Amino acid sequence: MGNRNNLAMLAVLYGSAFVAAFNENTINVALISIMGEFAVDANTAQWLVTGYMIVTAIVVTVSAFLTKRLRLRTLFLTAAGFLTLGLVAAMLAPTWPLFLAARLVQAVGTGIFIPVMMSTVLAVAPRTRMGTYLSIGGCMITFGPAFAPVVSGLMVTTLGWRSIFLPPAALIVVLAFLGVALIRNIAEPEKIKLDGISVVLSAVGLTSFAFGLSLVMTSPAVAAAAIALGLVVMGVFVMRQGRIPNPLLNLEPMCNRLFAPMCALVVVAMMTTFSMSMLLPLYFEGALGTTALAAGALLLAPILVNAVTSLVGGRIMDKRGSWPLLPAGFAVITVGQLAVCLCAPALSLAGVLVASVIVYAGVGLALSPSQTAGLQTLSPEQNPHGVTILNTFIQIAAAVGPSLFIGVLSSVAGSVEAAGTAAALAQAEGFSVAVAAACAIAAAGTLTALALCPQAPTSRRGANDWRADGGSSGRWWHCRRDGYLRQHDAHPRPCGHSSTSPDLRFGI
């Protein structure tokens, strides 16, 4: 397939990732209206986000099987069908259970779109520009949330909350038609079987764990039991993957000494961005009394800054590697969230907004480079499994973050209001405490990045750090600094991966 055809296909897949991310966040500014329509509280309403992310995570764990079993074109059109069906059903759902079910159907499409985009990028993008191509994908996933609050706020204000599903429905129909013309298959399907028991274990484990986190502040005993059950079931899931011939989730990349910690950093970054995208509209509308449109517009600046810093982070990652990019990114997140905590109780719109811009800028510097740093340590054969693991962790973070932080916000706000504080101030206090919890997690991410990044492979080495190591397959070099085998072209920098071995080998 020619380069132009690859670019056209990637453009459609980038667009589908944009719509998937747009749809993930389109519900946030409408939560207040939806809670009023169906007479549900914030803890119940957050399952529109948490449940969505759990289903997405389950589908993502199946994505490695799907990409092997089905052709790319078939998989893309199937995802488009699920997303369109769920969007139409949500517009028409008359009751809360049906509306929640429609939202979960949408999640199936999202769970397919994003990993398919990333897997295709890894398959067709030039190895020496992998960071840039993955960052473009990250920008699409970021631009979706950037525009979703504004568009959704406008739709809620002018046409009612059900109209928020019209824009993503229209976009995905257009992309489906483009996909028919431009999406081409890049590999032949394999005849492998899906392990249904693993699917059930992942569903039960993730749901139980997220449910427990949502009750941490209100029902500690029930929360502890649910979290324990979730961890046990997920432990059984992990053990089963090592004992069956066709695991649902191949966990071999987790044995890599650098890939596993990078997954943890991705989780921290994603918990930050998804949680802030839910917490901020609740603060703007609940504490400051803004309209849904205003709340969405206020989110535009932070998330657009995030998109810009994502591109900058990808470029820096390609040129200089993960040090000091990742520690700096997580430090910026920590500082920004600390500033949010200090400004929120005073009902300072300007202070919270500026601090949020800082938080999202840090996420842009940290998220895609964390993914790239992890994937660069894997062989081509392990890359699809690495993508699946990363995307699974991303969706778990997106499910766990809102459950935990919305639970904290609701509990603290309820307690403060019961003590006689005004509702707006109580909401602000709950928001501040929830962000403080997120800040502590970001600080842990900063320390982890500081400890790990000096060990990570970087894209530039000094001339004295390399010695030749000939071989029949080409010209190989051994890095004295970290022991990895890498193949070079005429330039003094390593190219992409080329084979599997205990020492990572890199080639064009």
Side-chain angles (χ1 to χ4, degrees), residues 414-421:
S415 298
V416 173
E417 188 173 1
T421 304

Side-chain angles (χ1 to χ4, degrees), residues 87-181:
L87 290 167
V88 173
M91 284 187 275
L92 302 175
T95 64
W96 169 254
L98 290 176
F99 180 69
L100 179 59
R103 182 72 175 155
L104 301 185
V105 171
Q106 297 170 26
V108 176
T110 297
I112 295 173
F113 274 138
I114 294 177
V116 163
M117 178 272 289
M118 290 185 66
S119 295
T120 306
V121 166
L122 289 171
V124 305
R127 307 301 301 181
T128 53
R129 300 185 63 195
M130 187 61 63
T132 298
Y133 276 78
L134 285 173
S135 290
I136 293 172
C139 279
M140 293 300 103
I141 298 172
T142 300
F143 274 125
F147 289 104
V150 180
V151 175
S152 298
L154 179 62
M155 301 299 283
V156 171
T157 304
T158 57
L159 299 175
W161 68 265
R162 289 185 186 272
S163 64
I164 63 175
F165 301 109
L166 283 173
L171 286 172
I172 202 61
V173 168
V174 171
L175 285 168
F177 279 107
L178 290 174
V180 170

